[in-house]
Each structure stands twice: as structure tokens, then as C-alpha cells.
Amino acid sequence: IEWRYLMKFFLETKKFFFVNLCTFLLLFPSLLMAIEEPNYVPILSDKPFEVRKYEGFTVAETELTGSFDSASRKGFRRVANYIFGGNENEEGNSEKIQMTAPVTVTPKNDGWSLHFVMPSSYSINDLPLPIDNKVVLKSYKEHLAGVVVFNGWTTESRINDFSNKLVSWLNKKNYEIIGPQQVARYNDPFTLPWLRRNEIIFMVKKK
């Protein structure tokens, strides 16, 4: 293969990536600003593992069926539609709600639930109601969570591998798991795999 063809391919790929990235940021300019995350205090840290004490927060959540990937895509669009105006407040108007991180997916019954954490400036009573009845608002109380942080793709094998490592570490530290596995992803689709931040999260309590 001649170098000029390789260079042409590289430049075209780079152009495609840049154009799509600019389009994404124009559509979602809030991503240029700092993204709010749930507030927590680290209780125990042993990288890449951690036990955190989370403050209470409110989520917009939807339930889905299908594979992890298809449910993630469909759920993201559904909840994103809520925060970008698919809602109605007390005055009968729609509101745009600031995007937060992470987007979290949890196995549930024979499918999945996906949620966005709402900005801390809102309580569940302040939030506009979803127009789509498949999106619901829920509150989570203050709680402890065991977490493992990792980069790269969230494939089924990697999720299982890091979940097993986290379960083993929590057992050694005398924490009992009291909630389902949660897969939390913090980055937009254009973030390179090695720069992505992902977490497996379990609600826990001390044994």
C-alpha cells in the first residue's frame, strides 16, 4: 500500500471525526461546560476500588428490554428527550434541564433500567413532569456504594470481569452488597476508549 493512500485515508478519517464532533457539540453545547456529578464523600479508597457515601439525589429513569447496547441507546434517547424539553412544568411550559453524568444502566427483571441523575438544584417536587409516560422520576436516599473505575469499552466480558473483582474486594473489606449491579458511563460517544471513565457500582452496607 502506497503512503499517499494511507495519508489520504488518515486525513479523511480525521475530517469525518472532526465534523461529527463539532456537530455534536453544536447540538449539545452544555457539554462544553463542566458536567455535574452526584455528590459523595470517599469512605475507603484502594484504586481502582472505592467505597463512597453518596448524598441523596433524584433521577429520571426508564425501563427497557433487549441487549445491553440496544437498551442503552434507546434509553439514552428517551431520557435525553425528557431533559431537552419533553416535559411540562406547573405553568404548562417545557424546560431544558442541564445534562449530568453518569448515565447509568442496571439489570432489572428481564430487561434494564437506565437513568440520568438530575441536577442538585432540583428536588423531585421541582422537576417538570415527563410527557413520555415511560420516563419516571425517582428519589434515592443517602447511601453507601462500592465502586470500581475502569477505562475503555463497556463490553459484557469487561463488565463481568470488573464486577467480579469489585465483589471480591468488597468481601475482603467486610462490605455486604445490598443492591443490583449498576454500569455508569461518564463520557460522550466521541471520547476515545482509553480516555473513557466507566464505573461498576453496588449499593453496600458494612457487615
Side-chain angles (χ1 to χ4, degrees), residues 36-55:
E36 182 180 350
E37 299 179 11
N39 293 320
Y40 68 84
V41 176
I43 301 298
L44 177 64
S45 187
D46 181 17
K47 293 188 180 297
F49 306 105
E50 200 165 55
V51 174
R52 301 170 180 169
K53 184 176 183 180
Y54 278 94
E55 295 180 7

Side-chain angles (χ1 to χ4, degrees), residues 48 52 102 147-155 158-159 162 182-187 193 195-201:
R52 301 170 180 169
V147 180
V148 59
V149 183
F150 62 102
N151 305 114
W153 302 112
T154 48
T155 61
R158 299 192 84 229
I159 289 170
F162 282 102
Q182 301 176 56
V183 181
R185 292 177 286 190
Y186 286 78
N187 304 101
L195 297 177
R196 295 186 180 206
R197 173 186 165 199
N198 312 300
E199 295 177 347
I200 304 297
I201 303 173

Side-chain angles (χ1 to χ4, degrees), residues 57-91:
F57 53 77
T58 301
V59 304
E61 182 176 284
T62 190
E63 294 188 11
L64 307 114
T65 57
S67 68
F68 175 82
D69 287 335
S70 66
S72 295
R73 289 191 295 271
K74 188 174 182 180
F76 183 93
R77 289 193 297 269
R78 188 180 291 168
V79 182
N81 181 64
Y82 164 70
I83 69 169
F84 293 133
N87 59 62
E88 186 175 305
N89 61 23
E90 291 181 348
E91 287 75 38

Side-chain angles (χ1 to χ4, degrees), residues 26 29 55 61 79 81 85 92 94 104 108 126 132-133 150 155 172 181 183 196:
L26 285 171
E55 295 180 7
E61 182 176 284
V79 182
N81 181 64
S94 66
T104 304
K108 189 167 186 178
D126 300 327
D132 187 340
N133 61 13
F150 62 102
T155 61
K172 290 177 183 176
Q181 172 202 72
V183 181
R196 295 186 180 206

Side-chain angles (χ1 to χ4, degrees), residues 135-204:
V135 177
V136 297
L137 304 176
K138 292 183 177 180
S139 290
Y140 285 82
K141 296 179 180 180
E142 180 181 271
H143 60 275
L144 294 180
V147 180
V148 59
V149 183
F150 62 102
N151 305 114
W153 302 112
T154 48
T155 61
E156 183 178 356
S157 61
R158 299 192 84 229
I159 289 170
N160 290 337
D161 180 48
F162 282 102
S163 294
N164 291 335
K165 289 176 180 177
L166 176 58
V167 169
S168 176
W169 181 79
L170 289 169
N171 284 331
K172 290 177 183 176
K173 300 299 181 181
N174 294 314
Y175 281 92
E176 178 184 350
I177 293 171
I178 58 172
Q181 172 202 72
Q182 301 176 56
V183 181
R185 292 177 286 190
Y186 286 78
N187 304 101
D188 65 74
F190 294 99
T191 301
L192 296 170
W194 56 89
L195 297 177
R196 295 186 180 206
R197 173 186 165 199
N198 312 300
E199 295 177 347
I200 304 297
I201 303 173
F202 289 103
M203 287 190 183
V204 298

